[in-house]
Amino acid sequence: MLEIIQLPVLKDNYIYLLHEPSLNKTAVVDPAVSQPVLNTLKQKGWTLNYILNTHHHNDHIGANSDLQIATNCKIIAAKADNYRIPNIDIPVKEGDIFSLGKENITVIETPGHTLGHIVFYLENSKNLFCGDTLFSMGCGRLFEGSAEQMWNSLQKIKALPKETRIYCAHEYTQANGAFALTLEPDNKALQQRIQQVHQFRKDNKPTIPTSIELELMTNPFLRENTAVIQQSLNMKNKPLQKIFSKIRKLKDDF
Ligand code: ZN
Ligand code: FE
């Protein structure tokens, strides 16, 4: 079975190490820094085969070259980011599938946070590594893409099986929850999640992974189509992209 190790680094980043034991393959998703990755590899006796980058921001590729030098691993990243992520070995695009041992990894393009942003979906184990596209109860800021692009990207993620585990790249859950509550103060699932998140953070535990199912119940950026959010924004039956855009603007100013 696939083993996933979650490394909290910097202020609020997560690096993920994936190990497929049957063929002894190992990948790291969005290595911001190298030392915790190298320590874990050594501890586990794993050899790093691949780096998977969701996008070009430094808190996601910062350790690429150190790890490549130390382990001779291959870098898998968006073809569209070839000009700004150095030394990509395997450029990928929408629908590409590559394997990590017995796991198939599908590339889904999710422009919005950046134009070249991609996410990695592991169909067999139903895990999604989504960088800065979807967060627990939130979504990435629109640094390069439009609200419409981000909305379209989120529709692709929304369409994955409900039980899919969501591994995002930041621990932003608590602040996101506070914002979500301003739009839906009476949402029971949201109230419950916020309570749970509060306890997790108090115990210094990660609130990630989350799941599609939980996000559908609590994430305002996936709930622009609900009557309660539309009422709360006074935007009943307005185009969904417009409602999404409004939520994003409100969050930016929160
Ligand atoms: Zn980013
Ligand atoms: Fe980031």
Side-chain angles (χ1 to χ4, degrees):
M1 218 179 74
L2 183 79
E3 189 174 341
I4 300 172
I5 293 183
Q6 181 173 30
L7 302 172
V9 299
L10 304 179
K11 187 163 159 267
D12 50 33
N13 277 74
Y14 289 122
I15 300 175
Y16 299 103
L17 268 163
L18 320 183
H19 181 70
E20 201 287 313
S22 64
L23 293 172
N24 196 26
K25 296 291 180 194
T26 305
V28 65
V29 182
D30 285 350
V33 291
S34 59
Q35 208 51 59
V37 176
L38 292 169
N39 291 346
T40 307
L41 290 170
K42 192 171 173 195
Q43 223 172 61
K44 288 284 191 175
W46 296 344
T47 304
L48 188 63
N49 302 104
Y50 302 106
I51 291 171
L52 316 183
N53 293 133
T54 60
H55 64 294
H56 74 282
H57 287 158
N58 201 51
D59 61 319
H60 300 256
I61 69 167
N64 274 18
S65 70
D66 280 1
L67 290 175
Q68 206 172 32
I69 289 163
T71 69
N72 205 25
C73 65
K74 300 230 178 300
I75 298 177
I76 299 178
K79 196 175 174 186
D81 277 338
N82 232 331
Y83 72 100
R84 55 183 175 180
I85 298 180
N87 300 323
I88 299 178
D89 296 289
I90 307 175
V92 293
K93 57 179 192 328
E94 175 82 13
D96 283 355
I97 299 176
F98 55 92
S99 60
L100 180 73
K102 289 185 172 168
E103 283 281 345
N104 285 335
I105 304 183
T106 303
V107 174
I108 304 172
E109 290 179 351
T110 58
H113 177 67
T114 68
L115 289 175
H117 201 296
I118 55 175
V119 301
F120 300 100
Y121 178 53
L122 282 63
E123 195 178 272
N124 312 352
S125 55
K126 294 206 168 50
N127 293 304
L128 179 75
F129 295 87
C130 60
D132 290 357
T133 293
L134 179 69
F135 295 122
S136 184
M137 298 187 278
C139 78
R141 278 178 191 270
L142 303 177
F143 285 125
E144 296 176 7
S146 65
E148 194 171 343
Q149 278 175 318
M150 183 59 119
W151 182 84
N152 277 310
S153 297
L154 292 175
Q155 301 319 298
K156 296 184 192 176
I157 293 178
K158 235 175 163 173
L160 296 173
K162 296 217 179 340
E163 63 271 31
T164 305
R165 277 174 296 273
I166 307 292
Y167 290 91
C168 52
H170 291 277
E171 179 63 60
Y172 289 159
T173 313
Q174 219 162 11
N176 287 342
F179 170 72
L181 201 61
T182 65
L183 300 180
E184 293 191 88
D186 299 324
N187 179 335
K188 288 271 180 308
L190 180 58
Q191 293 169 354
Q192 225 173 19
R193 170 72 169 149
I194 286 170
Q195 202 121 51
Q196 182 202 45
V197 162
H198 181 71
Q199 192 58 50
F200 274 38
R201 295 314 291 156
K202 229 176 89 187
D203 299 341
N204 209 16
K205 286 195 292 205
T207 65
I208 308 301
T210 175
S211 69
I212 299 276
E213 186 171 32
L214 185 53
E215 292 311 308
L216 286 173
M217 293 191 294
T218 58
N219 189 327
F221 295 96
L222 301 183
R223 292 173 57 75
E224 84 298 340
N225 59 346
T226 63
V228 48
I229 290 272
Q230 294 185 5
Q231 249 154 31
S232 152
L233 295 171
N234 211 1
M235 290 184 83
K236 245 189 145 202
N237 300 320
K238 290 281 187 317
L240 297 178
Q241 292 93 327
K242 287 257 153 44
I243 301 169
F244 172 81
S245 174
K246 176 73 181 172
I247 300 170
R248 189 56 262 176
K249 283 200 186 92
L250 287 169
K251 175 67 169 63
D252 287 343
D253 300 334
F254 182 67

